[in-house]
Amino acid sequence: MKFLFLMDPLETVIFEKDSTFIMMLAAYSRGHEIYYLPEDGISLIEGKAYFHVTKVIPQNNISSPFKKELTTRLSQDDIHAVFIRPDPPFDEQYLMNTWALDHLPKHIAVINSPTGIRTVNEKVWVARFKNITPATVISANQKDLLDFIAKHKNVIAKPTNAFGGKNVFHIENGSTNTKVILETLTDCYNKAIVMQKYVPEAKKGDKRILLLNGNILGAMLRMHGEGEHRNNLFAGGTPMPAKITANDKKIVGVLKPHLQKLGLYLVGIDILGDYLIEVNVTSPTCLQEINRLYDMKLEEKIIDFVEKLVK
């Protein structure tokens, strides 16, 4: 089969961390052809999708992760699956690519569904599940944001469209930096942000659970470093083993039918204490870290699933 990976440039791949890379390795090891698809590589010509791609051989070699074979153009008639894997933000190019991929025939597996990715903003969508998320406000209005801080005393504020812990602020009521933080995040109250009541269990780390077709694939705890409140790995967090609790399973059970209906096959959810914080659908990560913690090869299960989708 021909598998296309729509992703950030190959040169940006971090060998020991990148989840997309080990999915490519697993697919190649089974005899599938692997193609790198850049974000500007999709064309629609008279309603038919074409892809300007580079055929690559992924290699388990830190100094040379990819061997480039040839650059070519494939049509939708040539391919079997597309993995959508660029990192956020979900910008105009990302949006355009989801529209283009909507044109593909139904027999081509797309992980994740373009419609599902458009529907689920990773930080905003969870607010509909009020029983399993912390108190939340999503607004650009100064009074609404300040009132929320006054009510809950201790909050986390973040952009709606970032990743890796970027621009995530911990604000306590009465802080002299509150207004400047809000002005910065909202672009002087012109852009909505997400604010959630602080969950004290954050001091014990946050849990990343990977889901495959709504079922638990693997999990790990991310623990912040000294002098840091963010648990994200990109912000210096450390991966640690995690136990799946009954409450975790309850949260997954609530999300599962929604994710399946939206075609969101590979998803990463973030849990603090008893609360769901985010649902990551664009390019969920942590495969390599979970593999190392438990001596697993979760990417094999993902490729199994995609092969069945195609067949």
Side-chain angles (χ1 to χ4, degrees), residues 21-219:
F21 173 65
I22 61 170
M23 285 190 276
M24 297 167 87
L25 267 177
Y28 179 75
S29 72
R30 298 187 182 198
H32 301 303
E33 296 181 25
I34 308 302
Y35 294 86
Y36 160 63
L37 173 62
E39 290 194 82
D40 61 354
I42 305 175
S43 298
L44 286 177
I45 302 174
E46 297 181 4
K48 189 171 184 178
Y50 293 85
F51 306 94
H52 298 270
V53 295
T54 301
K55 187 177 182 182
V56 298
I57 296 177
Q59 304 178 123
N60 198 12
N61 182 340
I62 191 169
S63 62
S64 181
F66 297 101
K67 178 182 177 183
K68 297 180 182 179
E69 287 207 310
L70 58 90
T71 299
T72 187
R73 187 180 85 159
L74 301 176
S75 81
Q76 64 188 41
D77 299 329
D78 302 317
I79 70 171
H80 300 88
V82 180
F83 294 74
I84 304 177
R85 296 290 302 173
D87 285 334
F90 187 81
D91 54 16
E92 186 176 353
Q93 181 65 69
Y94 217 130
L95 177 62
M96 183 64 229
N97 284 333
T98 66
W99 283 333
L101 292 170
D102 273 337
H103 287 253
L104 292 179
K106 297 301 181 186
H107 69 271
I108 298 174
V110 184
I111 304 94
N112 285 317
S113 157
T115 302
I117 291 174
R118 285 197 302 273
T119 300
V120 177
N121 174 284
E122 301 185 325
K123 295 172 176 60
V124 174
W125 186 70
V126 296
R128 68 183 60 203
F129 302 103
K130 293 188 292 183
N131 293 332
I132 56 174
T133 55
T136 302
V137 62
I138 301 165
S139 179
N141 183 271
Q142 182 187 45
K143 184 177 186 304
D144 289 344
L145 295 171
L146 291 175
D147 285 350
F148 187 85
I149 296 170
K151 178 180 179 179
H152 294 289
K153 312 301 182 187
N154 200 354
V155 304
I156 294 293
K158 53 191 173 183
T160 62
N161 203 14
F163 75 106
K166 293 178 181 176
N167 298 317
V168 176
F169 290 89
H170 183 188
I171 304 173
E172 296 186 79
N173 191 37
S175 168
T176 56
N177 283 322
T178 296
K179 288 187 176 179
V180 71
I181 290 172
L182 296 183
E183 288 166 7
T184 301
L185 286 177
T186 63
D187 191 17
C188 293
Y189 304 103
N190 289 300
K191 290 193 306 186
I193 63 170
V194 177
M195 190 178 288
Q196 293 173 322
K197 181 180 178 180
Y198 178 74
V199 179
E201 288 84 354
K203 295 176 182 177
K204 301 176 183 178
D206 78 340
K207 192 178 297 181
R208 162 59 59 90
I209 301 178
L210 290 177
L211 305 179
L212 183 60
N213 198 31
N215 299 306
I216 294 174
L217 179 67

Side-chain angles (χ1 to χ4, degrees), residues 193-258:
I193 63 170
V194 177
M195 190 178 288
Q196 293 173 322
K197 181 180 178 180
Y198 178 74
V199 179
E201 288 84 354
K203 295 176 182 177
K204 301 176 183 178
D206 78 340
K207 192 178 297 181
R208 162 59 59 90
I209 301 178
L210 290 177
L211 305 179
L212 183 60
N213 198 31
N215 299 306
I216 294 174
L217 179 67
M220 57 175 265
L221 198 67
R222 298 178 295 190
M223 179 59 71
H224 54 268
E226 188 176 349
E228 176 63 78
H229 72 90
R230 299 171 298 170
N231 293 308
N232 310 72
L233 298 184
F234 281 105
T238 300
M240 301 175 66
K243 292 182 179 179
I244 300 295
T245 67
N247 189 70
D248 296 336
K249 292 177 182 177
K250 172 190 168 185
I251 291 172
V252 171
V254 171
L255 295 176
K256 182 175 179 176
H258 299 278

